[in-house]
């Protein structure tokens, strides 16, 4: 934990996508102090005809959802949102105006961790 799900417009190079994964991983570590072993990141691409942003089909965008075990402060979540927005902008070469980041708190009893137990049962 945390789980990061990034969605982007298709057409970025392999290098840009790898940079996004690496920069997002680093952003999470540095902004909220998450250990690297706990971070999971997935990337999903959409074709231009599958995307509408501000009424425009196929417009560049990035949407990043971060699921976190509840309990982090508002300041930590703000730092995480800013760091992930910056990571996406730098990696993909798109404006931060086209990036949205959502930090979603998950109750400890609703999050499974290693060993198939809840975060609450694991004492997190």
């Amino acid at each position: 934990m945390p789980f990061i799900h990034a969605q982007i417009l298709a057409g970025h190079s392999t290098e840009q996508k790898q940079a996004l994964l690496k920069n997002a991983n680093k952003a999470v570590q540095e902004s909220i102090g998450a250990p690297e072993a706990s971070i999971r990141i997935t990337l999903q691409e959409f074709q231009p005809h599958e995307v509408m942003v501000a009424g425009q089909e196929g417009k560049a965008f990035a949407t990043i959802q971060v699921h976190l075990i509840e309990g982090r402060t508002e300041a930590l979540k703000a730092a995480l949102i800013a760091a992930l927005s910056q990571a996406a902008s730098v990696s993909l070469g798109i404006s931060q105006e086209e990036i949205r980041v959502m930090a979603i708190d998950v109750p400890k009893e609703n999050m499974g961790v290693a060993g198939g137990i809840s975060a609450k049962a694991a004492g997190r």
Side-chain angles (χ1 to χ4, degrees), residues 28-72:
V28 172
Q29 289 178 65
E30 292 179 356
S31 63
I32 63 171
E36 187 171 38
S38 71
I39 300 169
R40 307 290 187 266
I41 305 174
T42 60
L43 179 60
Q44 183 177 17
E45 295 180 281
F46 292 91
Q47 296 302 314
H49 69 276
E50 298 172 321
V51 172
M52 183 153 305
V53 176
Q56 296 180 4
E57 186 176 309
K59 187 174 181 182
F61 82 103
T63 302
I64 302 171
Q65 297 178 24
V66 185
H67 291 84
L68 303 160
I69 295 173
E70 67 184 349
R72 289 183 175 84

